[in-house]
Amino acid sequence: MLLSTLQTPRSLSRLTRHPHSFTSRASLTHQTQTLTPSSPSPPPQSEILSIRHALLSRRASAADLVLSQLARLRLAEPRLRSFLHLPDDDALLAHARRLDARIAAGEDPGPLAGVLVGVKDNICTADMPSTAGSRILEGYRAPFDATAVKRVRELGGIVVGKTNMDEFGMGSTTEASAFQVTANPWDESRVPGGSSGGSAAAVSARQCVVSLGSDTGGSVRQPASFCGVVGLKPTYGRVSRFGLMAYASSLDAIGCFGSSVADTGTLLHAIAGHDRFDATSSKQDVPDFQSHFVAVSSLESKPLKGLRVGLIRETIDDGVDAGVISAIRAAALHFEELGCSVNEVSLPSFSLGLPAYYILAVSESSSNLSRYDGIRYGNQVYADELDSLYGGSRAQGFGSEVKMRILMGTYALSAGYYDAYYKRAQQVRTIIRNSFKEALSQNDILISPAAPSAAYKIGEKKNDPLAMYAGDIMTVNVNLAGLPALVLPCGFVEGGPSGLPVGLQMIGAAFNEGELLRVGHIFEQTLENCKFVPPIVVDDIAY
Amino acid sequence: MASSIFRSLQVHPFMLYPTTFLRRRNGVFHLTTKATQSQTDTQQRQPQTKVSSSNSTQSKKLDKIPKDYEAIIGIETHVQLSTLTKAFCGCPYSYGSSPNSSICPICMGLPGALPVLNSKIIDFAVKLGLALNCNLAFKSKFDRKQYFYPDLPKGYQISQFDVPIATAGFLDVDIPVEFGGGHKRFGITRVHMEEDAGKLLHAENGNYSQVDLNRAGVPLLEIVSEPDMRNGIEAAEYAAELQRLVRYLGVSNGNMQEGSLRCDVNVSIRPIGQSKFGTKVEIKNLNSFSSVSRAIDFEISRQVQLHSQGQEDQIVQETRLWEEGSQRTITMRKKEGLADYRYFPEPDLPAVILSQEYVDGIKNSLPELPEIKRRRYEQMGLSMQDVLFLANDKNIAEFFDATLAKGADSKLVANWIMSDIAAFMKNEKLTINEIKLTPEELSELIASIKGGTISGKIGKEILFELLAKGGTVKELIQKKDLVQIADPVEIEKMVDKVIVENPKQVEQYRGGKTKLQGFFAGQVMKLSKGKANPGLLNKILLEKLNSKS
Ligand SMILES: [Zn+2]
């Protein structure tokens, strides 16, 4: 039977059946439960490739594609509020026409040609405001494109707008945006997660094809899980941070969202690689992730034979929703069906990650946010005296979550407290890094939920910051260890009009995003009867 | 490079932001205002001038310090590095360029901008660390020093805190003879790398201030001395030696007027025999070595006076400002407890790792340093005054050494440089690099005189020609037909001619008025257009005058 393949008896008893759990292809015949939708659905396709084929075969012009994508974006936008800034259609069409001209001239318009890319608002763009969701930067325009944005544009991608976020990345719901609250496309009464909630919601609702986010403690992975999209946090240093407004510099990473693993990998490939404007960016080679992808039709029966998968025991423990645990257990089963050996691994230092993360993140942020003083840019209050100018500008410009974190960080770095807080947190970080290294020497990838629950209601945790912080338990360790992690939807729990998606987190060795993408692609292609398209998406654009 | 990418920035309106209402209670920004008096420093500075001016002040002040107190002085020096670009971005820096003309998103601290270390700074820091006999940290790091001020765009300064690149060194100084002479060794606590801040420009009416970020992000080395100095002169000599060192190493122009070398001194006093340090007072706004010396001596007497009147509680931990006009220090700000800069490791920059090979490479490329040079000159038998004059200025020392390398005698070269050449430079306000005379020709000139080709007198004439217009000694001698006449037959002919033409004087001479020998010699010299070898001339003249008597 299906369950007999699980190795630890303890897990057996925990595995609960959920009406929305998927079944893997191999086990379908043994399943008796009802599935929604009941008919098999095709695995996710690469929208980027479809667009490319449409353009190169001249089935559609870039201008047509942009117009139809924009129409869908605008239709959903009043309900979701994913975007903070959208340029004129004319500006976008001008980009599209340039691509069409290149295609007409027989040139390759680039691998991202005609692809609408959403960009989180803390990533600088020269042609649109960049506010990081903060009042203090209202109307601020950067004089340069972030390196990641520059690379997207160089490859033909069209930046369609700036996505909503928790102010300066500080939050897990996007409710801490100074400007608007974004809704979850699966259930508009719920949060999309955060802090990259706008980027996740936009991809989920197909308002854009892919999007850039940033992940300091899970800000790409948790919203990917909440919105049922693929989210990738690359290895620290894989993608240049130049142009990313710093939250916690030693943890920040620009990440990617897509509706398929293939699209997410394509976007990562576009933005990854060394940048001489970021001293912490790595000179490691960037492999061609796409070439690792195997089409579903040519997959062997056990395509992941020999892959050692470690399920982190501490992540399927108390405090994690039963529905999430069962979805993850089912994903583990799916890995076994694909030929992997799945073992539970224990990371005893796992629970230390959350306090260590919050000390380090708030400490660094208290420093990184010092530059927002109202002197050179951003909102400045009128004052008679310098300290009042600083105090007033920052009091009015920052939201309460940001102020709280600045205060905590300032405290943690103060003379006399440094050793007790910052220094100890750094020691914990070293322990965590080593324990991941150890676990990844025994396993090729580690898996866990991306979040302890599916998307919760707007306002539910707004006044309970500790509960919100606790939600980051699954993701912060990965940032502390600087490792890459891929989140992809693996199942559903009950909630909303049609269920709420659950994300599986796969953690790999440093700079081994290629393996995560390869495994994730196979997982996704073989996962049946799970169509991660939210109800808000009613039409399909034919490329 | 970066500048081209950010070209769009040049037209941004926020460049010269009138940061209105930046009235500040303390006077910290007066530091950056240009000093009206111009003292010392600069390459034209003549050591003698400095010596005499500070000497008089010094001796006056020293008299006031009772013998039963001792002063403890330490110096923090900021040296601006002469790299082509700033510490963490591609902007060039040149002193005096128009406000906000050399800035970019990085040195403006715009959101999303990141620092990338200019590796030249490490080279310079290692050079200075080695030259100061320090231990180098093979793994050091950058830290953020955090405080708010409008000239600090990021709200923190990138600096080094607990692991500076160099520690525990020393600097050897020769105190000029006028101040008693002697050789002193001052300890160096640490050398660390950091970035400079911008400048505030205050409106005439005091209503607003503006921020000029040209200087923001310019690389600095901060050198902290041990509290080893005991009076103003020692402190000034320490600072002067540091200036020489950075100039010898080529890491900075060391110009105090432009703020490329800035000294903040800490002064405390204690009764002789007491081991506990007195309360330390910091003095800023020292724009020259003589102000370093005078400010310290003023501060010592101020503290001694308070102490000897039983008012030592009036000596408080504070920063005082040296006022050049009134020649005194005044309170700038009292330190209310220690400032907490909340240092923590700079996460945007990787650790600085040095390899032994790299350090050895730098070590082998170091030039001869002032202290070694002075010892070498001393061994040549030069007086300490000569030694200091020649070694104090890197360019003069190089000129001197190059002349010696052509085989000239060290004492003769030293004399020429210190007398006629120095006088010429002073009158014409030129540096030794600007005069037309080359070491080769000075050596040639000295050789020509020594070898008897020209007289010393003609040598001087040629020298001034060479200084002002250049050319070679040989050319000038030929062109002007200045070769000394050393042929006895030719000289004899001229002597005969003079004797024949002056029968009356010959008679007087022979009648006992032998003083007239000078007259005859002069006439012959005139006839030879100054070219007759004087020794030969006199010998022949005497023979002729005396033979017929
Ligand atoms: Zn710059």
Side-chain angles (χ1 to χ4, degrees), chain B residues 42 96 169 328 338 448 476 500 530:
Chain B
T42 76
R328 59 196 190 98
L338 277 176
S448 299
L476 283 173
V500 170

Side-chain angles (χ1 to χ4, degrees), chain B residues 86 89 91 103-104 107:
Chain B
K86 294 187 185 180
C89 65
C91 294
I103 55 173
C104 74
C107 54

